Amino acid sequence: SQKDKSGDDDLAALLKKAYTQAGTPLPFLAPVHRLDRNTSGLILLAKTSEMAGQLTEWLKDKDIQRSYLALVKGDPGEQGRYEFPLRKNEKSNEVFVDPKGDEAITEFRRLQKLGNSALVSVRLLTGRSHQIRVHFAHAGHALIGDKKYAKKPWSEIFHRPALHSAEITLPDGKKFSAAPPVDFLELLKKLGGNVSNL
């Protein structure tokens, strides 16, 4: 989503190049929130600095709703809410639950129980780095494929954290949605899940 140590183009730079090649150069384009590198799905970008400010304000005021799909270890229950404060170690790019950390709130609802795993719908009420991944791991339900926060064999079942940004709803009710990619759907099928209603 944003520049990192790799020096590779970020999402805004890649999109600007694509628009320029199509003959519609964009003078301004900026993400207003982040997705972890291997998370699929939706991300909001602003085409003006004014809109970037407005979207950032709406996010801060929790007026924008963001929903994710995640495949997790075990069964976290029918629904729940995690409120573990989080602290980030910038050097290691790892996030920890810490009583002195920043407020972090995640709500979830189980969509499918899959034997020893589950498909959950997750709603972010705050937007901390690695929030969903760390909250579920701390609760004993790490995301499948998460090399950083899940233990073996769960970390090795999938090539990335099984997390997809599925829906974003703006304050006026306008809703954007993205179907999960093929790799996520194939994992869900492999785990015995139903992909027909996603």
Side-chain angles (χ1 to χ4, degrees):
S1 305
Q2 295 178 319
K3 289 281 186 196
D4 64 10
K5 295 172 187 172
S6 71
D8 294 338
D9 281 338
D10 61 6
L11 180 60
L14 290 169
L15 284 170
K16 281 184 183 179
K17 282 181 184 176
Y19 270 88
T20 300
Q21 287 169 358
T24 316
L26 286 171
F28 184 92
L29 193 64
V32 293
H33 63 101
R34 298 177 307 274
L35 289 180
D36 292 344
R37 180 179 293 275
N38 294 313
T39 299
S40 57
L42 296 170
I43 186 168
L44 280 175
L45 293 102
K47 293 198 286 185
T48 66
S49 57
E50 293 79 13
M51 185 50 73
Q54 180 65 79
L55 289 167
T56 301
E57 200 61 37
W58 284 338
L59 280 168
K60 196 185 299 179
D61 293 341
K62 302 178 178 64
D63 293 329
I64 291 177
Q65 294 182 22
R66 289 177 287 162
S67 298
Y68 293 74
L69 293 173
L71 287 160
V72 302
K73 166 192 168 189
D75 178 12
E78 193 172 325
Q79 60 184 19
R81 179 178 171 114
Y82 299 138
E83 296 188 46
F84 312 126
L86 299 177
R87 177 181 57 82
K88 185 173 186 179
N89 181 325
E90 295 292 344
K91 283 186 180 178
S92 66
N93 192 33
E94 285 187 278
V95 177
F96 305 91
V97 171
D98 183 338
K100 295 180 182 175
D102 295 321
E103 178 188 48
I105 304 170
T106 304
E107 293 181 341
F108 70 88
R109 182 172 48 90
R110 185 184 65 221
L111 299 177
Q112 295 181 35
K113 197 172 178 180
L114 307 166
N116 58 359
S117 59
L119 172 68
V120 292
S121 173
V122 182
R123 184 169 167 246
L124 281 181
L125 296 177
T126 54
R128 308 295 174 205
S129 290
H130 303 182
Q131 179 176 318
I132 294 171
R133 296 163 62 191
V134 177
H135 272 180
F136 276 89
H138 185 74
H141 302 289
L143 270 64
I144 294 172
D146 194 335
K147 312 273 184 281
K148 190 167 279 194
Y149 301 110
K151 295 187 171 93
K152 293 179 182 178
W154 301 98
S155 60
E156 299 181 334
I157 293 172
F158 197 44
H159 63 97
R160 64 177 179 93
L163 184 62
H164 174 71
S165 174
E167 199 170 87
I168 295 176
T169 307
L170 299 181
D172 64 1
K174 189 168 187 179
K175 195 175 285 191
F176 301 92
S177 59
V182 171
D183 65 344
F184 190 99
L185 294 174
E186 284 178 349
L187 175 62
L188 177 57
K189 279 195 273 188
K190 182 179 168 185
L191 296 170
N194 180 2
V195 302
S196 61
N197 58 352
L198 293 182

